[in-house]
């Protein structure tokens, strides 16, 4: 059973270090005759995606520039929102929270056309800032949900006592809640990072040419039909595109699983 | 609203309004970008918009055109096949793996790591990897041929009748580990004393699972169904990377239909209509599921 799960990883890795002759002569699961990193360096710096031939390098950094601010902004806003909807309920706050949650469930196809129009009017179509804006907006529902679900598990007494002692809105947030929110920050950041790094739909619709994220560039590379098909370069590029999220999975596996299962919406 | 506050200090006043003030930008954003945009798309789907948006209402012509479009029905049928098989297989495999791992086997940690890592990958990477392995000239077909079965063929990827099934194979690979994790968490949450009592009564392990454990996983089933049907209806990346909707339009799904008509073929109105159909499908699937989930949550 485990073979079904491991085979693709093995095939990707072994193909990426084979020579093209080795790939044509041997077969998919045969070990490489000799190991070469040529395909990797080509994938990183000189492979062609459509008309451009600068490799994955530039697109990789596009994705970094897109993911880092989007993750940070949406997580921070989500933390404050979650704090409000769990600790400072007011009349109608449950209804508002439900309204907000709908954002988790819509198929994004239904907002693509107006969004494209808006980004055009704002002059940030086809830019990384445009993508950051989109990811922050549609990430807020998730991040708010994560923090809300975490904060409701914290006993009310803690906050009530602080209020009696005269602590205000921000004091409670910064002095009492933030110091114990480490785990949920981890979960939220991991979730948002994998979502945003792996996104393809927004990337392909709202970015073009040099501003494309790596998922879009990878897809272009693999489907470029000109010249000899270099499977080893394709596989190396695929691994490069997968490395950041795989790294997160390896390093923070415990939190990764928690993030996934928390994404299973129990609000 | 603002009566009887004469004695309230400035900070108490701030505490009253701050929460609402803090939440309002997000609410405004979702009002505009979720509800407003859905309305906008809905409106667009009722116009004659082609390359450029037009704002004059034209009735249901786009929906009529959509329903007369053969490609749309191919896409819908494919979604049915893919959705049904993907959800069914992922559920079965995920539950099976969870039950296996629940037997307190030694290598549990390693296996869990192996089953779950695909979830960290993007659908584009998954599609790229499987596209290479299912490639009939050099992929798994050749491996089996080289092993001494020269007549073996496995060319689903380029077979118009079978291409959609390759998407199922890759989709199950990507998602079943995650489903396993959900079920495993559910299994670990079951009270041991019920199981012990059943064992004392002489029930065998399969019977215990079938009659006691699996029924008590009901809430997990709902969550899993909710997530998987959501993934299935939205599926776009995986199909794009694996088959590109091809050969021809053989593995088209609504998400690809929408993308192509709206963004590469300049048929905004038709694209908007197909997006609205997707939204309605999600609503039709999710609302009953969520209703059942909250009901079962209340009972349990």
């Amino acid at each position: 059973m485990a073979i079904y799960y491991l085979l693709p990883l093995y095939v990707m890795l072994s193909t990426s270090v084979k020579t093209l002759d080795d790939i044509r002569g041997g077969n998919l699961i045969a070990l490489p005759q000799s190991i070469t990193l040529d395909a990797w360096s080509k994938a990183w710096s000189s492979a062609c995606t459509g008309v451009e031939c600068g490799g994955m390098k530039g697109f990789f950094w596009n994705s970094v520039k897109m993911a880092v601010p989007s993750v940070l902004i949406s997580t921070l806003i989500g933390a404050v929102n979650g704090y409000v909807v769990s600790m400072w309920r007011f009349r109608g706050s449950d209804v508002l929270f439900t309204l907000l949650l709908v954002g988790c469930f819509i198929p994004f196809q239904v907002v693509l056309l107006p969004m494209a129009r808006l980004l055009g009017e704002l002059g940030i179509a086809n830019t990384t800032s445009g993508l950051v804006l989109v990811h922050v907006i549609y990430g807020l529902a998730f991040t708010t949900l994560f923090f809300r679900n975490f904060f409701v598990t914290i006993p009310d007494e803690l906050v009530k006592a602080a209020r009696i002692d005269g602590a205000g809105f921000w004091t409670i947030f910064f002095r009492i809640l933030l110091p114990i929110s480490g785990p949920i920050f981890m979960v939220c950041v991991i979730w948002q990072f994998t979502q945003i790094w792996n996104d393809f739909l927004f990337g392909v619709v709202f970015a073009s040419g040099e501003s494309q994220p790596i998922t879009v560039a990878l897809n272009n590379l693999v489907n470029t039909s000109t010249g000899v098909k270099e499977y080893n370069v394709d596989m190396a590029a695929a691994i490069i595109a997968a490395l950041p999220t795989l790294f997160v999975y390896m390093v923070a596996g415990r939190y990764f699983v928690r993030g996934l299962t928390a994404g299973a919406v129990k609000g | 609203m603002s009566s009887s506050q004469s004695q309230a200090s400035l900070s108490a006043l701030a505490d009253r309004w701050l929460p609402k003030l803090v939440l309002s930008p997000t609410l405004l954003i979702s009002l505009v970008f979720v509800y407003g945009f859905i309305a906008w798309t809905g409106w667009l789907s009722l116009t004659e918009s082609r390359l450029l948006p037009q704002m004059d209402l034209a009735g249901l012509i786009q929906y009529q055109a959509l329903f007369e479009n053969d490609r749309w029905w191919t896409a819908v049928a494919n979604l049915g096949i893919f959705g049904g098989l993907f959800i069914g297989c992922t559920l079965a495999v995920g539950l099976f793996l969870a039950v296996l791992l629940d037997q307190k086997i030694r290598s549990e940690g390693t296996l869990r790591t192996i089953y779950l890592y695909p979830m960290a990958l993007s659908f584009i990477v998954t599609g790229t990897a499987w596209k290479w392995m299912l490639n009939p000239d050099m992929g798994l077909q050749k491996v089996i041929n080289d092993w001494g079965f020269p007549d073996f063929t496995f060319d689903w990827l380029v077979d118009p009748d079978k291409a959609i099934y390759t998407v199922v194979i890759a989709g199950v690979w990507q998602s079943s580990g995650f489903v396993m994790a959900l079920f495993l968490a559910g299994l670990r949450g079951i009270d041991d004393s019920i199981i012990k009592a059943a064992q004392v009564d002489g029930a065998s392990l399969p019977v215990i699972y079938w009659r006691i454990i699996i029924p008590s996983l009901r809430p997990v089933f709902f969550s899993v169904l909710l997530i998987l049907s959501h993934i299935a209806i939205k599926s776009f990346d995986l199909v794009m990377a694996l088959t590109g909707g091809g050969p021809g339009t053989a593995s088209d799904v609504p998400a690809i239909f929408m993308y192509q008509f709206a963004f590469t073929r300049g048929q905004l109105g038709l694209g908007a209509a197909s997006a609205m159909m997707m939204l309605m499908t999600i609503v039709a699937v999710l609302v009953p599921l969520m209703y059942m989930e909250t009901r079962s949550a209340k009972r349990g």
Side-chain angles (χ1 to χ4, degrees):
Chain A
M1 201 68 202
I3 293 175
Y4 173 57
Y5 292 89
L6 280 178
L7 189 65
L9 188 66
Y10 165 73
V11 167
M12 280 163 82
L13 273 173
S14 65
T15 306
S16 76
V17 294
K18 285 178 182 174
T19 61
L20 266 184
D21 287 338
D22 193 0
I23 292 174
R24 290 211 198 81
N27 76 33
L28 193 71
I29 59 170
L31 283 168
Q33 308 227 307
S34 61
I35 288 177
T36 161
L37 291 178
D38 291 353
W40 281 76
S41 66
K42 185 161 187 195
W44 179 250
S45 56
S46 68
C48 300
T49 56
V51 280
E52 286 161 61
C53 293
M56 289 287 126
K57 182 173 56 185
F59 303 110
F60 186 90
W61 294 120
N62 282 348
S63 277
V64 172
K65 279 184 246 163
M66 167 185 82
V68 171
S70 318
V71 169
L72 291 181
I73 299 171
S74 61
T75 304
L76 289 175
I77 302 181
V80 182
N81 283 343
Y83 166 56
V84 172
V85 290
S86 57
M87 300 279 177
W88 293 84
R89 301 199 188 170
F90 47 85
R91 215 149 52 94
S93 63
D94 284 343
V95 178
L96 292 179
F97 178 60
T98 315
L99 280 177
L100 200 70
L101 265 195
V102 172
C104 295
F105 292 110
I106 57 165
F108 289 131
Q109 278 79 9
V110 87
V111 298
L112 289 180
L113 287 165
M115 197 64 186
R117 186 81 193 276
L118 181 82
L119 291 178
E121 306 247 313
L122 291 176
I124 49 174
N126 298 326
T127 65
T128 304
S129 351
L131 278 181
V132 170
L133 182 74
V134 174
H135 282 300
V136 168
I137 289 172
Y138 295 106
L140 283 180
F142 288 99
T143 55
T144 303
L145 176 71
F146 282 136
F147 279 98
R148 181 252 179 205
N149 285 356
F150 176 76
F151 288 140
V152 288
T153 62
I154 290 168
D156 278 351
E157 288 75 29
L158 202 64
V159 175
K160 276 192 192 126
R163 278 168 92 168
I164 291 169
D165 289 346
F169 181 81
W170 291 115
T171 318
I172 295 174
F173 182 64
F174 283 110
R175 293 283 183 74
I176 301 176
L177 291 179
L178 271 196
I180 53 171
S181 302
I184 191 65
F185 264 99
M186 280 289 280
V187 167
C188 194
V189 165
I190 289 171
W191 169 266
Q192 282 296 89
F193 182 75
T194 37
Q195 291 298 308
I196 294 171
W197 184 274
N198 288 343
D199 163 73
F200 178 72
L201 181 64
F202 288 148
V204 77
V205 173
F206 300 134
S208 65
E210 293 193 346
S211 66
Q212 288 167 347
I214 194 160
T215 45
V216 180
L218 172 64
N219 193 48
N220 289 344
L221 171 80
V222 174
N223 291 316
T224 296
S225 48
T226 49
V228 184
K229 195 84 209 102
E230 296 176 297
Y231 300 101
N232 47 359
V233 176
D234 287 1
M235 289 303 122
I239 299 174
I240 291 173
L243 271 181
T245 47
L246 273 181
F247 177 76
V248 165
Y249 173 63
M250 292 304 167
V251 173
R254 198 159 54 95
Y255 291 102
F256 178 78
V257 176
R258 206 176 296 167
L260 287 177
T261 43
V265 185
K266 299 209 173 68
Chain B
M1 289 288 273
S2 61
S3 61
S4 75
Q5 281 187 1
S6 47
Q7 288 201 318
S9 67
L10 195 66
S11 78
L13 190 73
D15 280 353
R16 247 181 109 96
W17 289 104
L18 259 176
K20 295 173 196 177
L21 204 66
V22 163
L23 204 57
S24 54
T26 309
L27 285 171
L28 194 70
I29 283 174
S30 54
L31 220 56
V32 173
F33 290 92
V34 176
Y35 296 93
F37 277 11
I38 290 175
W40 187 337
T41 305
W43 182 282
L44 208 58
S45 76
L46 298 173
T47 67
E48 287 187 50
S49 306
R50 295 175 77 87
L51 207 55
L52 292 169
Q54 294 178 359
M55 281 302 153
D56 307 326
L57 283 184
L60 294 172
I61 52 161
Q62 300 291 2
Y63 292 90
Q64 208 176 351
L66 188 67
F67 294 150
E68 282 165 7
N69 189 320
D70 287 341
R71 255 191 84 179
W72 171 254
W73 291 112
T74 313
V76 171
N78 278 334
L79 177 61
I81 297 174
F82 168 67
L85 283 173
F86 167 71
I87 295 172
C89 296
T90 309
L91 259 179
V93 173
L95 184 60
F96 178 67
L97 291 177
V99 170
L100 280 188
L101 280 192
D102 196 36
Q103 307 306 313
K104 311 204 163 59
I105 49 175
R106 236 181 320 145
S107 46
E108 186 197 320
T110 320
L111 284 173
R112 211 175 42 198
T113 310
I114 292 172
Y115 296 145
L116 255 173
Y117 87 89
M119 200 64 202
L121 305 180
S122 63
F123 276 117
I124 296 293
V125 170
T126 302
T128 305
W130 281 95
K131 185 182 189 154
W132 166 229
M133 294 201 298
L134 297 172
N135 172 340
D137 297 326
M138 306 211 191
L140 290 171
Q141 176 177 318
K142 183 159 181 283
V143 173
I144 311 265
N145 291 350
D146 288 354
W147 280 346
F149 302 93
D151 297 330
F152 175 85
T153 52
F154 187 60
D155 55 356
W156 289 8
L157 194 64
V158 292
D159 181 342
D161 295 330
K162 307 256 177 61
I164 191 69
Y165 298 103
T166 61
V167 186
V168 177
I169 297 177
V172 172
W173 180 79
Q174 165 114 13
S175 303
S176 47
F178 164 52
V179 171
M180 173 214 73
L182 286 179
F183 276 126
L184 198 59
L187 287 171
R188 296 279 150 87
I190 292 174
D191 190 359
D192 271 350
S193 58
I194 308 172
I195 299 163
K196 292 233 174 66
Q199 276 168 341
V200 170
D201 288 347
S204 67
L205 200 60
V207 172
I208 291 177
Y209 268 102
W210 193 246
R211 304 289 289 275
I212 300 172
I213 297 183
I214 293 179
S216 63
L217 288 176
R218 260 175 71 111
V220 188
F221 270 101
F222 283 129
S223 306
V224 171
L225 272 178
L226 204 77
I227 296 160
L228 290 182
S229 41
H230 198 235
I231 296 179
I233 296 170
K234 292 199 310 184
S235 65
F236 173 69
D237 333 22
L238 184 62
V239 189
M240 281 297 269
L242 192 61
T243 66
T249 59
S251 56
D252 227 351
V253 290
I256 291 187
F257 181 97
M258 188 274 160
Y259 170 73
Q260 289 189 338
F261 278 83
F263 294 100
T264 60
R265 292 180 162 218
Q267 299 259 23
L268 291 185
L270 199 63
S274 63
M276 291 307 285
M277 292 305 298
M278 288 180 67
L279 177 69
M280 288 177 215
T281 317
I282 289 215
V283 171
V285 173
L286 292 196
V287 169
L289 271 176
M290 287 175 92
Y291 176 71
M292 284 195 285
E293 189 183 348
T294 41
R295 250 190 30 179
S296 79
K298 265 178 200 145
R299 249 191 294 147

